[in-house]
Amino acid sequence: MIIQGHEIFSPLKLKTHSVVVGSGAGGGVAAYHMASAGLDTVVLEEGGYFQAKDFNQREEDMMPALYRSAGRQMTTDGLIYVWQGSTFGGSTVINTADATPIEAEVLHHWQQKFGLNELTEDNLAASYERVYKTLNVHRLEEKILNRNNKVLLETANRLGYKAGVFNSNRKGCIGSGYCFQGCAYDAKQGTNLTYLPMASDLGARIYTDVRVDRIEPISGNRYRIHASVVERGTRRFRHPVEIDCERIIMAAGTVHTPAILKRSGLDKGLPQLGKNISLQPQIGLSATFPDSEKMTSWRGAPQSIYMSEFDDNHAEHGLGGFRMEGVGGMAGVFAQFSNKIGLDHKRMMEQFPSTHYSALLVPDQPSGSLDWEWAADGSVKPKIHYALTAEWKQRFKRGFKTAAGFLFEAGAKEINCNSPVFGSITSPDQLSRVDDFPLEPGLVALTSAHVQGSCRIGVNADQGVVDQNLKLHNLDNIYVVDGSVMPTTASTHTMIPIMVMADRAMHKLAQGA
Amino acid sequence: MGNNSTLPSATRRLFLQRSLLALGAVAAAPAISAAAFADTSTGDAPALKLLNAEDYRILSVVTDTLIPRDGAFPLGALDVDLAARIDTYLEPEDTELLQGLRGALMFLEHQAPGLIGVDSPFSAMPQEQRESLLLTLRDAGGDATAVFAALRGISMFYFYTDEQAWPQFNYDGPLVKRGKPVYPQVRD
Ligand SMILES: Cc1cc2nc3c(=O)[nH]c(=O)nc-3n(C[C@H](O)[C@H](O)[C@H](O)COP(=O)(O)OP(=O)(O)OC[C@H]3O[C@@H](n4cnc5c(N)ncnc54)[C@H](O)[C@@H]3O)c2cc1C
Ligand code: SF4
């Protein structure tokens, strides 16, 4: 059963066995496992309930509806947008449905550096199988690959570079191109179409427009959740909610899960809470090709092909290097690329169909931290502190030069990026300008779609917030199953890693193991 | 005004956020007089949601400078009334955003012309001079660049997401034709 906030007209008090906080990648999986074990389960989701019929494929409308802070959430210095979904289905509704596993080198890194010996490929294999089946993960079909992405593969093949087509969690995708705005065809298999309806069919009650504010331990090893029904859109407080339960599964995402624990005073003895944030920052690049080379970046699967020649994944450091991936379906965001204005900018935009867009992804080491302020109505204002390291900046510049050189090799005439001050590069002999790239707030807009850390797994409370079964180190019966548990960035894309880790822990819990 | 040091750090940080997707911005730059921030709404500009008439007037000139008529395609910001479109997307809860936008407009109108030794307000300058002032801000660094980036970001975003603009840049746009999602209205 799905109950939307506007269907609640007075304060609400409930009793249940398990409460899942958040309905995204981790929350969806948890809700399903709890419900399938026959446990009375309530899911609380702060965002609104939207369906395919609501998605109009327009950035200016869908970002305010589906993204946290309308897509305006940033690091405190204003350098990096931190994109997260906030809706029924969480970020799985707005993602580009690329399905990548936790890299083997990352698991080795976690074993070596953090002693996480239970998180082996063998131990995760059954979870992969279950998750892949539920999400219909398969290699993207040829017919929805667009030229914008294929140009990466063709150029890589010519240069002898590694590249490939993504696996994806879609079913019946028509290649509309607007994954970032929610799928209007119910093709993208997010938790909104998979785990949450499955949980609902098994009896779970899913409340949308209900924000969890804090958790109060009460007698008999039980908890009381204090929450608020909020107005859709404005998120203004409407009614209080109290739910008594035995078990809480936190899945409010990397930024909000630790906020709730902190506000509840449950962070005592958890020195790592709110620390070890990775963002995996990326920059958007555009490359104008001759008129005859139509890229049509907005049609077809937006992100279907990667060029991974410069991945540098090792047990010593996990993910490293840099990679390129095609991207599309955001004309408004892309119009901000370059430093041009006036007639020059119009000339550039006229070439939109023959302009290629890609993201340069540069994995980072966990180096950020969070803190929060709360308003009187219980809403939270997160502060994401994050500084680029010197090593990352070097790697970014090397990646930028390599990507730009690669795009010239592909036939590009001019390369721009999401910086309002960095001028176009029009030939390979200008690449040395990248050495002076302005990695400063206001001078470039980096983006993160993969915020992780903040409640990382560790073998004890000094090392991490949760154990390898994702249970809080300091309390019984509270689990964390979202992106916050990743000790370092798990993969180039984080949905599958989160779901697989959640599946392993929740399946065990549901089996009473 | 010096370009790099006139705003308190918290305000400046917000100032640095550069498009509407991030123009979470400036409450008030101390270098800008309180009078300049006064609500100068006369009610002249019809059907505005949150901008006042003066904000709207200056923003219209800014958008016209950034996206003028003609050139590669005829349509310009004034043809779609871009300032009014931006106004429809501002939300009353976004007080920081609104203040930031106002701060940026006031800076541009009253302070920025001084950077190139011009006495008249930005909106009274001829098109070429306005464009050249914006480019000066772009290259100046500090708060000036932040204002440039913020106004440029908001203008480009809302112009190129306007369906009237799509044929102009050879974009055939979304496959579904529907309005924005309607949020259920509740009266408690
Ligand atoms: C634009 C974008 C594109 C992406 N593309 C890909 C991709 O192609 N492939 C991939 O693998 N990954 C991708 N990702 C990343 C992936 O989708 C996320 O990492 C993943 O969904 C995160 O899962 P999660 O459970 O941590 O949180 P989320 O899925 O973000 O869900 C958290 C939910 O908790 C809710 N919540 C927060 N606070 C509260 C509260 N107090 N009370 C109640 N509810 C609350 C939120 O509203 C939200 O709905 C993308 C992400 C974004 C933003
Ligand atoms: S590209 Fe496919 S999955 Fe993405 S929105 Fe379009 S139909 Fe849905």
Side-chain angles (χ1 to χ4, degrees):
Chain A
M1 185 173 29
I2 294 161
I3 303 119
Q4 302 183 57
H6 68 274
E7 295 163 336
I8 303 170
F9 294 99
S10 54
L12 192 66
K13 283 194 181 188
L14 300 171
K15 279 194 169 55
T16 188
H17 181 276
S18 294
V19 172
V20 179
V21 183
S23 67
V29 172
Y32 165 70
H33 280 297
M34 292 307 105
S36 68
L39 300 170
D40 190 16
T41 302
V42 167
V43 180
L44 302 175
E45 167 55 53
E46 179 183 357
Y49 179 65
F50 294 98
Q51 295 171 280
K53 67 176 173 48
D54 299 311
F55 302 144
N56 73 358
Q57 306 182 331
R58 299 181 65 148
E59 294 146 271
E60 72 275 35
D61 296 331
M62 298 323 301
M63 291 181 89
L66 304 178
Y67 285 55
R68 170 69 62 186
S69 304
R72 274 186 260 135
Q73 178 172 260
M74 298 193 95
T75 52
T76 45
D77 62 359
L79 180 62
I80 308 175
Y81 290 94
V82 181
W83 278 351
Q84 292 185 291
S86 184
T87 180
F88 175 81
S91 305
T92 70
V93 173
I94 55 166
N95 74 23
T96 44
D98 298 317
T100 62
I102 307 175
E103 303 291 339
E105 293 86 349
V106 170
L107 289 177
H108 297 154
H109 178 56
W110 293 354
Q111 284 153 27
Q112 277 184 19
K113 181 158 182 198
F114 303 105
L116 305 182
N117 296 328
E118 291 177 28
L119 303 178
T120 61
E121 283 181 301
D122 282 351
N123 286 351
L124 293 171
S127 294
Y128 276 111
E129 210 168 292
R130 281 191 290 269
V131 169
Y132 281 7
K133 186 159 177 249
T134 306
L135 297 191
N136 192 39
V137 171
H138 62 286
R139 185 188 185 275
L140 273 170
E141 297 86 354
E142 189 66 25
K143 67 175 193 300
I144 56 167
L145 307 183
N146 62 14
R147 179 98 202 103
N148 188 62
N149 279 273
K150 279 183 175 169
V151 74
L152 296 179
L153 190 60
E154 287 169 11
T155 309
N157 287 344
R158 204 169 61 243
L159 296 173
Y161 286 179
K162 280 184 229 137
V165 177
F166 277 113
N167 284 342
S168 166
N169 55 310
R170 290 173 165 92
K171 201 182 265 179
C173 168
I174 65 155
S176 74
Y178 293 104
C179 297
F180 286 116
Q181 279 81 255
C183 179
Y185 309 92
D186 277 349
K188 180 168 41 176
Q189 300 296 291
T191 56
N192 56 325
L193 296 180
T194 53
Y195 286 100
L196 295 170
M198 284 157 60
S200 169
D201 287 349
L202 291 164
R205 285 168 287 167
I206 305 173
Y207 289 83
T208 66
D209 313 281
V210 174
R211 184 189 69 223
V212 171
D213 297 324
R214 67 190 169 87
I215 298 164
E216 178 193 0
I218 52 176
S219 58
N221 248 353
R222 293 167 60 83
Y223 298 99
R224 178 165 297 151
I225 296 221
H226 296 270
S228 307
V229 181
V230 294
E231 186 178 72
R232 191 160 308 166
T234 64
R235 303 225 167 155
R236 266 195 291 261
F237 171 87
R238 289 186 51 233
H239 297 292
V241 177
E242 269 182 28
I243 306 180
D244 289 358
C245 61
E246 283 171 36
R247 178 182 291 160
I248 299 175
I249 300 160
M250 300 297 300
T254 296
V255 178
H256 291 81
T257 283
I260 297 165
L261 295 173
K262 174 84 182 170
R263 181 154 192 251
S264 311
L266 303 182
D267 59 319
K268 309 237 162 28
L270 296 175
Q272 302 296 337
L273 187 115
K275 298 188 179 144
N276 314 302
I277 301 291
S278 338
L279 291 178
Q280 239 185 340
Q282 44 180 293
I283 189 167
L285 301 174
S286 65
T288 312
F289 280 71
D291 280 351
S292 54
E293 274 262 36
K294 296 292 180 240
M295 296 290 158
T296 326
S297 62
W298 64 92
R299 212 56 93 220
Q303 191 158 69
S304 58
I305 289 173
Y306 55 88
M307 190 279 277
S308 56
E309 175 68 17
F310 302 93
D311 281 3
D312 177 25
N313 306 337
H314 277 296
E316 293 76 53
H317 61 241
L319 292 196
F322 52 85
R323 61 157 53 193
M324 293 173 74
E325 298 179 353
V327 68
M330 291 195 130
V333 170
F334 295 165
Q336 298 172 50
F337 290 14
S338 93
N339 71 348
K340 298 176 204 280
I341 59 170
L343 300 183
D344 283 350
H345 187 270
K346 288 181 88 171
R347 254 191 305 280
M348 181 188 79
M349 285 307 290
E350 191 196 19
Q351 300 170 74
F352 189 59
S354 50
T355 303
H356 159 90
Y357 294 92
S358 47
L360 171 69
L361 281 84
V362 186
D364 55 348
Q365 291 299 318
S367 58
S369 63
L370 296 167
D371 63 68
W372 309 271
E373 279 170 7
W374 287 271
D377 71 351
S379 62
V380 59
K381 196 168 178 190
K383 295 191 219 157
I384 307 171
H385 305 288
Y386 186 88
L388 300 172
T389 63
E391 188 279 329
W392 187 92
K393 290 181 183 175
Q394 280 300 108
R395 203 149 34 90
F396 170 87
K397 289 178 183 174
R398 194 160 64 82
F400 196 121
K401 281 188 202 169
T402 307
F406 181 88
L407 291 168
F408 281 124
E409 184 62 41
K413 298 183 298 182
E414 176 178 312
I415 290 159
N416 290 292
C417 68
N418 199 359
S419 160
V421 301
F422 190 71
S424 313
I425 301 179
T426 52
S427 75
D429 59 21
Q430 297 168 9
L431 289 177
S432 58
R433 278 183 36 223
V434 175
D435 291 330
D436 300 320
F437 191 88
L439 277 168
E440 299 284 331
L443 306 186
V444 61
L446 303 175
T447 308
S448 164
H450 300 143
V451 53
Q452 295 158 90
S454 82
C455 295
R456 79 176 180 196
I457 308 170
V459 288
N460 55 42
D462 287 337
Q463 295 283 310
V465 173
V466 293
D467 65 21
Q468 295 183 67
N469 292 320
L470 308 187
K471 190 186 82 59
L472 277 191
H473 275 298
N474 63 345
L475 282 168
D476 282 337
N477 258 336
I478 302 189
Y479 294 78
V480 179
V481 299
D482 54 27
S484 68
V485 303
M486 300 298 172
T488 65
T489 191
S491 177
T492 51
H493 295 268
T494 43
M495 173 185 62
I496 294 292
I498 292 166
M499 287 180 153
V500 163
M501 300 276 272
D503 177 89
R504 175 178 171 272
M506 295 297 103
H507 182 74
K508 269 173 103 171
L509 191 60
Q511 307 294 306
Chain B
M1 148 180 188
N3 281 331
N4 288 299
S5 58
T6 50
L7 300 176
S9 59
T11 305
R12 181 162 188 280
R13 172 181 64 70
L14 290 167
F15 215 150
L16 289 170
Q17 301 183 354
R18 56 178 286 290
S19 66
L20 183 64
L21 290 176
L23 187 67
V26 194
I32 300 169
S33 73
F37 272 97
D39 186 338
T40 49
S41 173
T42 58
D44 293 349
L48 290 173
K49 189 162 110 184
L50 287 173
L51 294 179
N52 64 40
E54 181 69 348
D55 301 331
Y56 170 79
R57 187 185 67 76
I58 302 167
L59 185 57
S60 294
V61 180
V62 173
T63 59
D64 179 42
T65 314
L66 290 163
I67 311 160
R69 289 187 168 124
D70 298 327
F73 48 86
L75 199 81
L78 295 181
D79 298 312
V80 303
D81 199 354
L82 184 56
R85 174 168 161 78
I86 291 170
D87 174 69
T88 64
Y89 278 92
L90 298 171
E91 295 299 339
E93 303 74 47
D94 287 340
T95 46
E96 283 192 339
L97 183 68
L98 188 60
Q99 286 176 330
L101 178 56
R102 283 216 167 107
L105 290 173
M106 292 300 133
F107 170 81
L108 183 61
E109 178 75 346
H110 300 292
Q111 301 286 320
L115 295 175
I116 54 166
V118 172
D119 281 341
S120 60
F122 174 80
S123 59
M125 290 161 55
Q127 160 81 20
E128 264 175 37
Q129 201 175 33
R130 279 186 268 129
E131 180 172 336
S132 119
L133 174 56
L134 286 178
L135 292 174
T136 302
L137 298 188
R138 179 189 74 186
D139 299 332
D143 302 332
T145 302
V147 167
F148 165 82
L151 293 173
R152 178 182 180 276
I154 190 174
S155 303
M156 298 304 180
F157 182 80
Y158 284 106
F159 182 79
Y160 287 99
T161 51
D162 187 321
E163 60 204 64
Q164 297 172 76
W166 298 343
Q168 311 273 321
F169 66 107
N170 306 304
Y171 171 52
D172 53 6
L175 296 175
V176 298
K177 306 287 174 225
R178 4 180 124 130
K180 57 172 101 169
V182 179
Y183 298 157
Q185 293 300 311
V186 234
R187 275 181 207 287
D188 290 318

